[in-house]
Amino acid sequence: MSKWKRRRLLFMADVHERRGSDPSDVLAGLHELAAEDPYDLEVLLAAAELLADRADRRTGTAREADLAASIALLHRCVPLVPPGHYDRGRVFNSLGQRLFTVAQGTDSPEPVAESVLAFREAVAATPHGDSMRQVNQFYLVVQLGEHFERSGDRDAPVEAVQVARECYATLPPGDGLRPMFRTALITSLRHLAGAAAHVEPLQEAVGLAREALSEASSTSDRAGAQFDLVRALRALYDATTDTRLLVEAVDLSEQCLAATPRRDPEFNARRTRLASAVRLLAQDRGDPDLMRRAIDLMRATIETPSAADEHADTLIDLIQSLASLHAMTNDQLALRDAELTARTAVAAAPDPDPGPWRTEAQFTLATILLYRSSVDARGTEAVALHEALGLFQHVAAATPPDHRERGDRLWHLGVTLRDLARHGDGDTAAWRRQARHVFAEAASAAGPPNVRIKSFQHLGAMEAAVGDPHAALAAYEAAVALLPQLTPDWLSYMGNVIGLRQIEGLPDGAAAAALELGRPERALELLELSRGILHGRTLEARDLRLLRHRAPQLHAEFLRLRTALNARARDGNDGNWDDLMSRIRSLDGMAGFLRAPSVQALRRHADQGPVVIVNVTERRCDALILRADAEQPVLPVPLTGLTQADVIAHLLRLTRAVFAAPNDPSLLTRRDAQRDLDEILRWLWDRVTAPVLDALSLTAPSSDTQPPPRIWWCPVGLMAYFPLHAAGHHDSGGNATVMDRAVSSYTTTVRALSGRFSPPVAGTPLHTLVVAVPDAENAPSLPGAAAEAAALTELLPNALVLSGARATYENVVRALPAYPVAHFSCHGLTFWENPAAGMLLLHDHLTRPLTVEQLSAMELPYADLAYLSACSTSNTHPDNADEALHITGAFQLAGYRRVIGTLWPVNDTTSVEITRATYADLTQGGSLPPRTELSAQALHRAVRALRDRYPASPSLWAGYVHVGH
């Protein structure tokens, strides 16, 4: 073909590309030219761009064919543009753009990965100062994000953030590309946080989003900036569970949606984002009205005409929201709607295409059926379980081995098989066998630590149920070994609380497995490893400081790997973790790094008296007595008269009684409540404490010449709610009660007795802070608080008294570090669903509450004794009982070596009496500073004196507890 014809074809190709007209005749000529000269770069590029332009105007297979042909021509161009060639950037930009288009029409990771490579080359080939360089960088950042989402490649977000940050920093204010790169950087930071399990990138993303909102001028720009900020806040909330972020996200979503016209293409996306934020806030607060609003928003979105796949995620959210509404309200209609909606989702999913949407729809329906089987009282559990089983099996088969959700999906399958075995429908042995196999696979699958932990935990329970104690113990030990990975340092207090709830039942199950094999020492070690984890983290900090001093590089590697293992997507096994632990523990003096202390190390905490761990499981109940005896440090005492079912029944009875005894308007009801409490104390003596005291040979009451010995109670799980120190037959003349034979204290774990800080130096004056709030706003009056303050002013002349309006958050927090002894006389408020929000009601509690979370974060090196004359300071959610997540526990975490608290609401008048008697004992009638080391004995004598006067009214005296030394 002549040069003239070649020039004419290239000219016509440019014309067709500009006009968007049919280039078929020109394409035919260009293909002929390319056949004559396969190295004609200009011809190849022109043909490739014409094909891509035509593909944009076509659909279906014709579109796919044009894109494929364009990409093939561009691949032919690549060898013709070596590094330094003028058109190298143009070739790789075109290739990247075509691959970007292909990637949008498929879930495959390959075109995205190839697009990333192309844009990298395009950036490298475009000189600084060329406007195309920034365009190539923008597409590179976008495709790196897509590559991360599809492949899980954790290096992709690192590169994306680096490129986006570099470009954003060089763009001056007012540049049209600046908002685009800021949005891309925000998205990349969210990806980086997910890849590295760090919260700092999310905090940076929120800051950038706030900056964008502050710069937005028009209404539409402001709405877009609000939407970006909502996404950033949501991501930060997901990482930290800080409710304030969620509240702000809901408020901004409301504003954003209100400013978005219904005809705007973004309206549905913004309404969906609002619905999602409202749903999370409803779950966080346990608010059914908010959940109904989220459901209404989701329904409105789904009812909007659109492609089915555009509503897929909203449909899944709607199903889960309906199930949550049922859990909050027991609304059977909500559960039925959840199931019907899930069935609709499965029916609407492409069949037989086993794509991600169909798999997700099947999984959601199966989880609803599994949930229904656990709450359905109509006798249809087996039917729901069998249908769930079939769906979970389909889901498992469709989930690749390296999929990040495989472990969780297998765990649900295992639970279904376990429930079928419990239901007794069909071959029970076969169901159990399959469940064990599935739990084992789930435990070894890629997934976050919490999924692997609960899989090992369920496997251990199944192995114990079939009578294989060795396999059961091995599974439980594997679960416990993963616990250090469960609570990353950056996670919020409430985030850790939620995470730790997932291991409820693990400590007692692991201990029971060891006891089945006659290994009480190992049982104690497992209990120490798996309980009091938040308190243990304060002890762990010492190890980390030592590691940082000894081996800074290993310290950095430890922090990186521990946070990485908490990321949503994990690959491989724990080989890197195990290798790192081996290297750290090989260092001089670091052999015990993150290990549970050996029993021989723990027994030194029993020098002043035995520590009694009470463990209750479905299979067996035991007390483990830790003694200073080197030959037999752990003495097991089987509690053969105790059952888990009995414990639960008595706990329900106790809960009703302690609230009825002081508050019910009926005298008869109050008397019945006292009688119930008395019977519970008798039952505790007969089933728990008497066997323990007998084993310790504490069989005789104390006397004036024989002071009572000390004993520490360490109850596991639900046993933490019972007043073990007050157990007994209190009409027996002192022959059959704990408080007549020993002085009791409590501890969360044995390690907790080691103390977080060193005790005050001998001779340090123990001045006391007294905080009294008789009239807290929106709370009943407490005249006893003023009476306590008056009594303590006489007994403690050097005390700082903050009473009434002076008892503010600022004054109290400023004073606490300077006073080793702190006494609070006020209301205590606990929240089961959110223990972090539990508080002591100070004068300004409505605006500045002194919460469990804030107290736990304090570091008070000289803290010695905290006396909490308030109601229910030791009460928390049952799932958090092993963590002591309550007001009493918060003072321990802050550093107090000993804390006096309460198990339930206490009487205002008798509280004054016990306070006065305790401090009079500690100060010898006000002549000495408080002898805090005798606080357990002083409280014991004060409570016992009240018991002697009112033996038939246990609610008045049995709720006071001493915790610590």
Side-chain angles (χ1 to χ4, degrees), residues 474-489:
Y476 278 118
E477 287 179 325
V480 171
L482 289 171
L483 289 177
Q485 303 173 20
L486 188 62
T487 53
D489 293 333

Side-chain angles (χ1 to χ4, degrees), residues 164 262 329 343 353 405 489 494 669 685 783 803 814 907 925:
R262 285 185 174 270
T329 64
R343 293 190 186 281
D353 175 27
E405 299 293 336
D489 293 333
M494 192 57 196
T669 301
W685 172 264
S803 183
R814 185 189 301 122
N907 181 275

Side-chain angles (χ1 to χ4, degrees), residues 588-775:
D588 184 33
M590 299 294 292
F593 182 78
L594 291 191
R595 292 187 192 274
S598 68
V599 169
Q600 290 299 325
L602 289 170
R603 69 180 179 85
R604 64 184 176 86
H605 298 304
D607 284 343
Q608 298 180 29
V611 182
V612 181
I613 299 95
V614 182
N615 194 58
V616 174
T617 69
E618 187 177 2
R619 299 193 308 278
R620 61 182 295 147
C621 302
D622 302 88
L624 298 174
I625 304 176
L626 179 67
R627 306 175 300 174
D629 186 346
E631 295 296 323
Q632 189 183 9
V634 181
L635 176 64
V637 180
L639 302 176
T640 55
L642 189 66
T643 67
Q644 187 182 67
D646 212 14
V647 168
I648 294 171
H650 279 80
L651 179 56
L652 293 174
R653 190 180 181 190
L654 175 71
T655 303
R656 290 191 295 266
V658 296
F659 284 97
N663 300 318
D664 198 276
S666 167
L667 175 60
L668 182 61
T669 301
R670 295 200 301 272
R671 287 178 177 175
D672 288 343
Q674 297 290 3
R675 188 178 299 112
D676 283 345
L677 285 173
D678 182 67
E679 291 178 3
I680 290 168
L681 297 182
R682 293 170 184 268
W683 165 78
L684 278 174
W685 172 264
D686 295 338
R687 299 289 187 267
V688 182
T689 59
V692 169
L693 296 185
D694 287 345
L696 290 169
S697 299
L698 298 178
T699 57
S702 59
S703 64
D704 293 338
T705 58
Q706 183 66 34
R710 293 289 303 276
I711 187 171
W712 277 265
W713 300 99
C714 183
V716 178
L718 297 180
M719 290 304 299
Y721 290 90
F722 290 100
L724 297 171
H725 67 288
H729 297 255
H730 292 277
D731 57 359
S732 64
N735 292 322
T737 74
V738 174
M739 65 172 56
D740 287 301
R741 298 191 186 182
V743 173
S744 294
S745 294
Y746 287 83
T747 185
T748 307
T749 62
V750 178
R751 285 173 299 159
L753 292 174
S754 67
R756 182 176 172 187
F757 300 112
S758 301
V761 177
T764 302
L766 295 183
H767 293 314
T768 303
L769 169 67
V770 177
V771 180
V773 189
D775 295 296

Side-chain angles (χ1 to χ4, degrees), residues 29 33 122 152 158 209 263 282 437 581 699 763 790 842 898 902 938 958:
L33 279 174
V158 177
R263 63 182 180 275
H437 173 76
M581 290 297 101
T699 57
L842 302 180
R898 38 188 75 88
T902 56

Side-chain angles (χ1 to χ4, degrees), residues 23-44:
S24 299
D25 54 338
V26 176
L27 276 171
L30 291 174
H31 280 300
E32 184 180 345
L33 279 174
E36 291 178 5
D37 184 0
Y39 303 106
D40 192 330
L41 177 64
E42 193 172 6
V43 167
L44 293 173

Side-chain angles (χ1 to χ4, degrees), residues 202-219:
L202 295 175
Q203 293 167 336
E204 182 181 349
V206 168
L208 287 166
R210 292 194 193 282
E211 176 186 292
L213 182 57
S214 69
E215 294 178 2
S217 53
S218 68
T219 301

Side-chain angles (χ1 to χ4, degrees), residues 8 210 333:
R8 180 178 180 279
R210 292 194 193 282
L333 182 60

